[in-house]
């Protein structure tokens, strides 16, 4: 179980968007049984957009196959209009390209169907902890700098690192900002997204390792292809964390880099 999960679930307002009423009812039952607050259920993208505008939830659970608009378009619209709403996709198709498409649209989580309580909790419990009124304090472990252009992803990774006992000493929205904070704060570990828009993560790896070989570099990516991983390792990465984030993914990346 995620740390303090039960206590934080009731504070998480979750909206369900699924054009199959029976499946939406099943999801609603699972969420309520696990202690979450279901703020609304909608069966069309258009209706969901209106409800979110009137009463934004903390998390929108969206079926990938919904229509008018489709799931990815709906996530994009929510992400653009309501940046504080976290979107989670539910889908049967778990091919990496489909997951990458959902992440690029603005989703922070991706749950495989058929839905089970375990699969849902793996994604929603970290969000419940992140959005809890009681912020998680830093641990006393190694210091970490988090670099990712997606604000929601930065916040989620920071929360997971703190739950594992690390001290997150800064967050950066761009590769250049990350390099500046690295020089200023000298963290033990830097978790850097490989797709920052100004300075590519792979290029930044070379610069970091050339100037600060003592810093542990963990690259963050949605791409699990062998070529991407190999290129990062060749440039000095000590490990990687795969998106979408789960506590196991983060823990594995830290273990791979030997900082766990």
């Amino acid at each position: 179980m995620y740390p303090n999960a039960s206590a934080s679930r009731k504070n998480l307002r979750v909206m369900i968007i699924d054009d199959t009423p029976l499946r939406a009812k099943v999801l609603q039952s699972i969420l309520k049984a696990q202690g979450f607050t279901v703020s609304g259920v909608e069966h069309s993208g258009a209706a969901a957009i209106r409800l979110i505008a009137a009463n934004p939830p903390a998390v929108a659970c969206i079926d990938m196959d919904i229509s008018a608009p489709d799931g990815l378009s709906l996530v994009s619209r929510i992400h653009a209009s309501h940046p504080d709403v976290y979107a989670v996709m539910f889908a049967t198709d778990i091919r990496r390209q489909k997951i990458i498409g959902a992440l690029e649209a603005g989703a922070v989580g991706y749950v495989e169907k058929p839905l089970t309580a375990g699969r849902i909790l793996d994604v929603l419990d970290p969000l419940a902890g992140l959005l809890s009124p009681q912020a998680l304090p830093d641990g006393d472990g190694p210091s970490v700098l988090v670099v990712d252009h997606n604000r929601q992803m930065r916040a989620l990774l920071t929360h997971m690192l703190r739950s594992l006992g690390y001290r997150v000493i800064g967050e950066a929205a761009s590769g250049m900002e990350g390099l500046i904070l690295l020089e200023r704060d000298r963290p033990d570990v830097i978790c850097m997204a490989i797709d920052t828009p100004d300075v590519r993560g792979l290029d930044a790896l070379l610069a970091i390792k050339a100037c600060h070989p003592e810093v542990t570099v963990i690259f963050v990516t949605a791409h699990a292809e062998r070529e991407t991983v190999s290129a990062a390792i060749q440039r000095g990465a000590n490990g990687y964390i795969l998106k979408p984030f789960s506590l196991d993914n983060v823990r594995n990346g830290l273990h791979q880099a030997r900082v766990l």
Side-chain angles (χ1 to χ4, degrees):
M1 179 181 287
Y2 199 82
N4 302 318
S6 298
S8 56
R9 288 175 191 167
K10 64 181 180 180
N11 296 312
L12 193 75
R13 298 178 65 255
V14 182
M15 179 178 177
I16 298 169
I17 308 169
D18 193 325
D19 58 3
T20 303
L22 178 58
R23 190 167 53 220
K25 188 173 183 179
V26 169
L27 176 55
Q28 184 177 17
S29 297
I30 292 174
L31 292 175
K32 287 187 173 181
Q34 297 300 324
F36 293 98
T37 298
V38 177
S39 64
V41 179
E42 289 295 346
H43 302 303
S44 75
I49 290 170
R50 290 193 295 271
L51 182 58
I52 290 172
N55 187 24
V59 175
C61 291
I62 303 167
D63 187 82
M64 174 74 88
D65 298 322
I66 199 168
S67 58
D70 64 88
L72 291 182
S73 297
L74 181 58
V75 170
S76 295
R77 291 178 64 173
I78 293 172
H79 189 65
S81 303
H82 304 280
D84 291 330
V85 176
Y86 286 72
V88 172
M89 300 293 290
F90 294 86
T92 303
D93 192 339
I94 58 169
R95 288 175 295 176
R96 178 49 49 174
Q97 282 306 118
K98 289 290 185 180
I99 296 174
I100 291 172
L103 296 176
E104 290 177 343
V108 296
Y110 198 93
V111 181
E112 180 185 2
K113 293 189 287 188
L115 301 178
T116 65
R119 289 173 177 173
I120 293 167
L121 295 179
D122 282 346
V123 175
L124 292 190
D125 273 348
L127 291 174
L130 168 63
L131 300 172
S132 171
Q134 296 181 334
L136 192 66
D138 271 314
D140 56 4
S143 59
V144 186
L145 171 65
V146 174
V147 183
D148 196 307
H149 70 279
N150 185 309
R151 179 178 62 86
Q152 291 185 340
M153 287 293 191
R154 287 199 311 273
L156 185 55
L157 180 54
T158 291
H159 175 74
M160 288 182 170
L161 289 166
R162 285 178 173 152
S163 75
L164 292 170
Y166 289 83
R167 291 185 297 121
V168 179
I169 60 173
E171 295 182 15
S174 69
M176 185 58 68
E177 183 185 2
L179 294 175
I180 292 171
L181 292 182
L182 173 63
E183 291 296 328
R184 188 190 73 183
D185 299 331
R186 301 297 175 89
D188 300 312
V189 182
I190 180 169
C191 294
M192 173 174 278
I194 211 166
D195 56 351
T196 52
D198 56 344
V199 179
R200 291 182 65 247
L202 289 176
D203 295 331
L205 278 173
L206 291 173
I208 293 169
K209 281 300 184 178
C211 299
H212 301 286
E214 76 284 359
V215 174
T216 298
V217 180
I218 301 175
F219 76 94
V220 178
T221 181
H223 298 270
E225 296 86 355
R226 183 184 299 272
E227 295 79 7
T228 301
V229 175
S230 297
I233 298 300
Q234 289 171 6
R235 286 166 171 79
N238 301 95
Y240 70 95
I241 296 173
L242 190 63
K243 294 179 180 179
F245 297 135
S246 69
L247 199 60
D248 283 342
N249 283 349
V250 175
R251 188 184 286 113
N252 290 340
L254 295 166
H255 180 76
Q256 185 182 46
R258 300 181 181 180
V259 290
L260 188 61

